[in-house]
Amino acid sequence: MTPQGIIAKERVLVHVGRTRLRVGSNRVQEHEAFKLIVHPEYNVNRIQHDIALIKLATDITYTDYIQPVCLWNRGEDLNAIVGTWGTVIGFRRDETGNVSNTLCEASIPVVSHITCIESNREVFAYQLTSNMLCAGKRDGISTCNGDSGGGLFFKYNDVWYIRGVVSFTKPDENTRICDTKEYTVFTDVAKYLKWIEQHKSSVRLGEYEKNSLFPDCVMVHGQKVCLPSDQLLSIETVITHPYYNNENLENNIALIRLRHRADTSQSNVKPICLAVTNKLFDFKIPFSQAFAYGTSYGRIMYDNYAEICQCTEEETTSQICAVQEFSHGNITETFGAPLQYSKDGKYILLGVLSHINPTCINPTSIPEVYTNVTNHVDWILENIQE
């Protein structure tokens, strides 16, 4: 523990995908904590602002058993959810204090602050604040010791949202184990979205980003909708171009052969066309309508139209010089990102980002040089396999 009563990050291990407490499984992922972000106004004595974020040292891989949950985006009004039922999960304790070995799930209703306080003024009258919410049935089914930090989830249109984080409940006077006949108090996530926004981390998820709260509290941002997760696929072979020149970056292109096919049925994972037909090969590309799409980790994705910029004579026809027309920044670390064009409802791959060329003349934008994929179609077709 630290002097502030907060556990040190070196002692934190985050397990995701675990459904059995004492039984190992290949579904489980273990991650070390890189940084703990505790709310600056957290008060251990009065249990105020009882919320923290865990930034992991390694990325979570999504599977059928490990999925993110969306941050609450339906407003702060507590009255709007009073009477509705949320879902909590945890390793349940029975009346004797024994902990279940299997992860349990329960549905509990949200109650008003007045109902919560009137149920036990001694406990809740001085602890409950507007940044908290109260839920439970007082029937022995609720969260308990060890569940602190767990979520209170609500499902809308097949999408799960987190609204509460388990904070405290009244302990039994004799055993000091939580009293499941009392209401449970949750930190209201809706009241901390701005604080979370300040500490969010940008993480690539398929072609999109999401505003989500992972099961361990790691944040990602972007669109305020939850989309299908990315796919982690093993690489079988990397095929580099035989005439790649490291000095002038000619033929800066490679193929990655996967061990298994990508699932293109997901809305965020789709194939892109090559200019293999004569019609596409001879098509004069209107570069003012082409766009680059940066997808690297740790950077905001851009969907900005690109236009050809004036380059020096050193540039060759095997390269495309482009510039972001209204870029908010550059994508210098998204090498391999596509330059693409939409035609007849299909996307055509024009180039892949090779490098940044300072010889391009454009005083206001960042010039980018793409390997011209059209010039390498024959080589690509020779090296791809069914």
Side-chain angles (χ1 to χ4, degrees):
M1 302 289 286
T2 65
Q4 293 76 28
I6 301 169
I7 191 169
K9 68 179 180 65
E10 290 78 14
R11 297 183 59 188
V12 175
L13 282 178
V14 175
H15 285 201
V16 292
R18 180 173 290 281
T19 58
R20 303 289 296 278
L21 188 60
R22 303 179 185 89
V23 178
S25 169
N26 56 10
R27 300 174 182 175
V28 179
Q29 297 176 30
E30 180 179 281
H31 299 271
E32 294 181 356
F34 174 75
K35 185 178 182 181
L36 303 185
I37 305 171
V38 180
H39 194 280
E41 298 180 58
Y42 170 66
N43 187 316
V44 68
N45 296 318
R46 296 194 60 190
I47 323 179
Q48 293 183 0
H49 307 291
D50 187 14
I51 188 170
L53 307 178
I54 303 176
K55 182 174 290 188
L56 300 183
T58 50
D59 294 329
I60 291 176
T61 300
Y62 290 150
T63 68
D64 290 340
Y65 307 97
I66 301 171
Q67 291 290 310
V69 63
C70 289
L71 281 172
W72 186 265
N73 65 352
R74 305 175 70 87
E76 296 184 9
D77 185 13
L78 179 61
N79 293 326
I81 61 170
V82 169
T84 61
W85 292 64
T87 299
V88 291
I89 57 174
F91 294 97
R92 182 180 65 88
R93 285 181 182 266
D94 59 23
E95 295 78 7
T96 63
N98 293 322
V99 180
S100 168
N101 186 49
T102 304
L103 190 66
C104 301
E105 175 184 311
S107 295
I108 57 175
V110 178
V111 300
S112 68
H113 277 43
I114 294 177
T115 300
C116 195
I117 292 172
E118 289 182 345
S119 71
N120 194 323
R121 290 184 175 274
E122 182 180 350
V123 174
F124 299 117
Y126 301 100
Q127 298 283 11
L128 202 60
T129 72
S130 60
N131 292 325
M132 302 173 182
L133 60 88
C134 207
K137 295 186 292 183
R138 305 183 71 194
D139 62 352
I141 300 176
S142 186
T143 57
C144 197
N145 299 64
D147 292 332
S148 295
L152 175 64
F153 309 106
F154 294 84
K155 190 176 184 179
Y156 298 95
N157 299 323
D158 292 325
V159 177
W160 286 97
Y161 297 86
I162 184 168
R163 176 65 190 258
V165 176
V166 178
S167 181
F168 72 94
T169 191
K170 176 185 178 296
D172 183 89
E173 294 180 358
N174 298 319
T175 64
R176 306 306 297 173
I177 297 173
C178 60
D179 189 344
T180 54
K181 298 297 180 67
E182 297 282 354
Y183 290 119
T184 299
V185 175
F186 297 78
T187 300
D188 191 346
V189 171
K191 304 297 177 62
Y192 293 91
L193 294 178
K194 291 182 179 179
W195 175 75
I196 292 172
E197 184 80 6
Q198 297 172 359
H199 298 283
K200 65 190 178 182
S201 300
S202 177
V203 180
R204 181 177 64 88
L205 300 174
E207 291 180 336
Y208 304 91
E209 291 184 340
K210 314 178 201 180
N211 188 7
S212 308
L213 182 63
F214 285 82
D216 60 69
C217 302
V218 175
M219 302 299 165
V220 297
H221 71 287
Q223 303 181 37
K224 292 186 177 179
V225 294
C226 267
L227 299 171
S229 62
D230 64 341
Q231 299 174 34
L232 183 67
L233 300 174
S234 299
I235 295 174
E236 180 178 299
T237 309
V238 176
I239 307 169
T240 57
H241 197 285
Y243 298 113
Y244 167 66
N245 187 320
N246 189 47
E247 293 183 0
N248 61 13
L249 298 179
E250 280 286 309
N251 304 303
N252 187 13
I253 189 171
L255 302 177
I256 297 176
R257 182 173 295 148
L258 303 177
R259 291 184 181 178
H260 305 286
R261 288 180 179 272
D263 180 7
T264 56
S265 65
Q266 290 188 188
S267 61
N268 64 329
V269 180
K270 295 297 179 185
I272 191 168
C273 297
L274 292 173
V276 295
T277 65
N278 291 333
K279 182 180 179 180
L280 289 177
F281 190 85
D282 296 331
F283 177 65
K284 300 302 181 183
I285 301 165
F287 282 97
S288 62
Q289 298 180 34
F291 62 89
Y293 209 76
T295 55
S296 73
Y297 283 97
R299 286 194 178 271
I300 298 175
M301 292 185 284
Y302 295 99
D303 188 357
N304 301 334
Y305 287 101
E307 63 180 7
I308 288 297
C309 69
Q310 182 180 357
C311 297
T312 66
E313 295 180 356
E314 296 178 0
E315 299 300 327
T316 70
T317 58
S318 65
Q319 296 176 329
I320 299 172
C321 186
V323 61
Q324 296 290 340
E325 187 176 24
F326 47 86
S327 173
H328 295 85
N330 63 65
I331 52 171
T332 58
E333 295 180 7
T334 59
F335 301 121
L339 180 69
Q340 50 193 312
Y341 174 73
S342 178
K343 178 176 173 60
D344 300 328
K346 296 181 179 179
Y347 287 92
I348 304 164
L349 182 62
L350 309 179
V352 290
L353 183 58
S354 172
H355 60 282
I356 303 302
N357 190 348
T359 63
C360 273
I361 302 173
N362 194 303
T364 61
S365 302
I366 304 297
E368 300 156 353
V369 179
Y370 293 79
T371 299
N372 192 337
V373 172
T374 304
N375 284 24
H376 297 283
V377 166
D378 290 340
W379 173 77
I380 293 173
L381 294 177
E382 290 172 0
N383 286 278
I384 62 176
Q385 295 179 354
E386 287 294 330

